[in-house]
DNA sequence: GTCTATAGGATGATAGAC
DNA sequence: GTCTATCATCCTATAGAC
């Protein structure tokens, strides 16, 4: 996928690189879409792991949210093929299975909990504990990642012209939900 | 492209729907990539036209920026296949030609000019007249569009869970560059 | 400008031997 | 679990008649 694009993944090519024949792959995956689904799940897990590692040493506070977003942007730019599978719809007719989608939703829940904690600690105003606030945050992440991948895919993190605006984007977001300002 | 995904476009299918044979298409386009390039250019033009129409009746002021962003989001969600070609990289090995890319850069210049005008009028602080500020704005647009298309492609504008956050995103952006606040 | 014919592949998937 | 053989279909692109 990294070399041919996400849509360029084929049963034959996977088998070729594994040193087996195409039909043998069907002992492990019932279809190419099942392979995509496994990759989607791997992407969710990989991203989640990267975020968890980044948050592990962080004390409570807004910096946890910053660290989580940075970790996601970094992971996505280091795993662009998987990131495309998670953030875009590059494969016609492929949708993640309910199981894979549920794993993705679980990660969203974790992010939502961080927002709720920040509100509880008085670091963000009430309205930050909402689906819309979480959506705004994902919009920022998706925009950072999409623009960097589409316009300057080789620059990576944190050098890229777009990726290095991650903190500016976070400044915008956190200021928007500052307790003293109104939403 | 709308039906099969951007990557699902084929010479044969185009010809089929035109009621001609595949080879006849090569009298008009030297390759499938050339078709993609023409579609890319059509996308740039279409988006630009939508923005221009939206800005035409608008007096000077920050509402011009808001109107431009809204017009882009609306156009993209009404032309999702072309939008994918503009904002993502859905076709392996396809890159827009220098000419098409230049047209795209021209539109960026127009957006940059709107930011500069707002600074001149004192509605945004100096730092808003910069490539980084423009990039932040494109990050917001790309994020709004990407999230809406990937998660809820049929909802469209302005009903979509993400698309309807366009004004919130703009509030964040414009507040970030408010003259009285520091960058 | 359209066509037929064709080159020269690729693909996802299955049947059935071993 | 791997293989060969194969199905049925698709693809981009070219040659050359009309």
């Amino acid at each position: 996928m990294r070399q041919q694009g996400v849509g360029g993944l084929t049963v034959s090519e996977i088998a070729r690189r594994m040193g087996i024949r195409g039909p043998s792959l069907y002992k492990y995956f019932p279809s190419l879409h099942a392979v995509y689904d496994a990759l989607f799940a791997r992407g969710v897990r990989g991203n989640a792991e990267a975020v968890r590692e980044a948050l592990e040493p962080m004390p409570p506070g807004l910096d946890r949210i910053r660290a989580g977003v940075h970790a996601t942007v970094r992971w996505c730019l280091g795993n662009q093929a998987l990131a495309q599978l998670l953030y875009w719809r590059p494969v016609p007719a492929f949708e993640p299975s309910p199981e894979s989608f549920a794993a993705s939703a679980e990660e969203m829940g974790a992010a939502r909990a961080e927002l709720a904690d920040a509100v509880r600690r008085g670091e963000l105003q009430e309205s930050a504990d909402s689906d819309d606030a979480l959506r705004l945050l994902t919009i920022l992440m998706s925009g950072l990642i999409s623009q960097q991948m589409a316009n300057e895919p080789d620059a990576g993190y944190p050098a890229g012209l777009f990726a290095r605006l991650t903190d500016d984007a976070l400044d915008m977001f956190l200021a928007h939900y500052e307790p003293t300002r109104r939403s």
Side-chain angles (χ1 to χ4, degrees), chain A:
Chain A
M1 291 200 298
R2 204 159 42 220
Q3 288 167 19
Q4 310 291 333
V6 174
L9 190 70
T10 69
V11 172
S12 318
E13 188 61 23
I14 296 169
R16 209 169 291 134
R17 299 194 183 199
M18 288 181 71
I20 61 172
R21 305 291 165 180
S24 303
L25 212 58
Y26 285 85
K27 292 284 170 186
Y28 304 92
F29 295 95
S31 71
L32 182 59
H33 270 43
V35 176
Y36 274 121
D37 198 55
L39 287 166
F40 184 94
R42 175 182 292 194
V44 171
R45 268 202 314 277
N47 189 356
E49 228 163 85
V51 170
R52 244 183 288 281
E53 265 174 43
L55 292 194
E56 203 262 319
M58 299 291 294
L62 290 184
D63 278 350
R64 284 179 67 83
I65 294 173
R66 296 189 103 97
V69 170
H70 273 283
T72 294
V73 173
R74 178 172 45 234
W75 182 89
C76 285
L77 296 180
N79 300 269
Q80 299 196 21
L82 291 179
Q84 285 176 38
L85 213 49
L86 298 185
Y87 281 89
W88 298 351
R89 288 275 167 114
V91 183
F94 166 67
E95 286 198 35
S97 65
E99 299 80 48
S100 300
F101 200 79
S104 171
E106 202 174 314
E107 298 311 319
M108 282 293 138
R112 176 73 192 272
E114 291 290 337
L115 287 175
D117 280 351
V119 169
R120 221 168 299 136
R121 286 192 303 269
E123 292 164 340
L124 294 177
Q125 55 175 283
E126 287 269 337
S127 59
D129 182 11
S130 68
D131 287 342
D132 273 357
L134 180 57
R135 283 190 198 107
L136 262 181
L137 195 54
T138 65
I139 284 167
L140 285 177
M141 289 192 293
S142 168
L144 284 163
I145 296 158
S146 297
Q147 285 291 88
Q148 186 64 55
M149 289 202 301
N151 293 295
E152 208 195 19
D154 296 330
Y157 175 96
L161 288 172
F162 295 89
R164 67 180 169 67
L165 300 179
T166 303
D167 266 317
D168 292 86
L170 278 164
D171 290 343
M172 282 195 335
F173 178 80
L174 296 175
H176 187 68
Y177 288 106
E178 238 172 47
T180 53
R181 291 184 72 253
R182 58 178 198 80
S183 140

